[in-house]
Amino acid sequence: MIIREYESVDCVCLAQLFYDTVHTVNARDHSKEQLDVWATGKVDVEAWDRSFREHQTFVAVCGEEIAGFADVDETGYLDRLYVHRDHQGKGVGTALCERLENVINTGKITTHASITARPFFEKRGYKVVREQQVERQGIMLTNYVMEKKKI
């Protein structure tokens, strides 16, 4: 596995990986209705590309396939961390998260973790600050504001 910096040509592939991951991996914790509003399949590629370029964004590549991606902004907010369904449990998320944690210079890292992602972050030392309900197109989704203090 190689962890490399994001390139704009990755964006369409990352959008598809996001959709596929939400609709397969997160399906064990959410209804179809929730999945459909979380990942609609209609990503504004220009806005995502701009966001990825403004953040520290890394892409995990296994062979010729993108296995996952993650990004963090300058405040230490870990925005997205998604691993392809075929690469779950193989260290991709851990490698991406370690890379993000090592590049930021803030005293803490914050994320909004899904129900599915919460155990992953807890194993990495993140603590739940609070549970919250997020509304998407009239549908409520539960996630957790989590943070990890940098040592």
Side-chain angles (χ1 to χ4, degrees):
M1 171 177 35
I2 296 168
I3 305 292
R4 63 166 172 78
E5 291 193 10
Y6 168 80
E7 300 170 3
S8 290
V9 296
D10 298 325
C11 197
V12 171
C13 183
L14 300 190
Q16 187 63 51
L17 188 151
F18 163 73
Y19 179 87
D20 293 344
T21 300
V22 168
H23 283 268
T24 57
V25 175
N26 297 96
R28 67 179 177 236
D29 297 309
H30 297 279
S31 69
K32 181 175 180 343
E33 188 177 48
Q34 289 172 317
L35 299 173
D36 287 344
V37 297
W38 179 358
T40 64
K42 296 176 184 137
V43 168
D44 181 338
V45 175
E46 287 182 18
W48 266 44
D49 178 53
R50 184 173 48 257
S51 173
F52 285 141
R53 286 183 288 110
E54 290 170 353
H55 296 174
Q56 281 278 228
T57 305
F58 296 101
V59 176
V61 180
C62 293
E64 298 296 315
E65 182 177 45
I66 291 180
F69 68 93
D71 67 311
V72 65
D73 71 14
E74 70 280 350
T75 70
Y77 176 65
L78 194 162
D79 190 2
R80 292 162 284 214
L81 173 60
Y82 290 91
V83 175
H84 189 283
R85 67 178 175 245
D86 295 338
H87 295 277
Q88 295 284 316
K90 297 179 182 177
V92 174
T94 297
L96 286 165
C97 203
E98 284 176 4
R99 188 74 174 267
L100 291 180
E101 291 170 359
N102 289 328
V103 298
I104 64 160
N105 296 317
T106 60
K108 68 180 177 182
I109 303 161
T110 305
T111 194
H112 294 178
S114 68
I115 295 168
T116 310
R118 178 181 170 176
F120 168 82
F121 284 107
E122 286 177 328
K123 287 178 188 170
R124 295 200 50 78
Y126 287 73
K127 305 290 184 209
V128 174
V129 175
R130 70 181 175 281
E131 179 180 315
Q132 63 183 7
Q133 299 295 313
V134 179
E135 184 268 328
R136 296 267 163 85
Q137 299 176 30
I139 306 297
M140 301 307 286
L141 297 163
T142 299
N143 72 20
Y144 303 91
V145 177
M146 300 183 77
E147 63 182 42
K148 178 179 182 178
K149 305 266 191 248
K150 288 205 55 173
I151 299 171

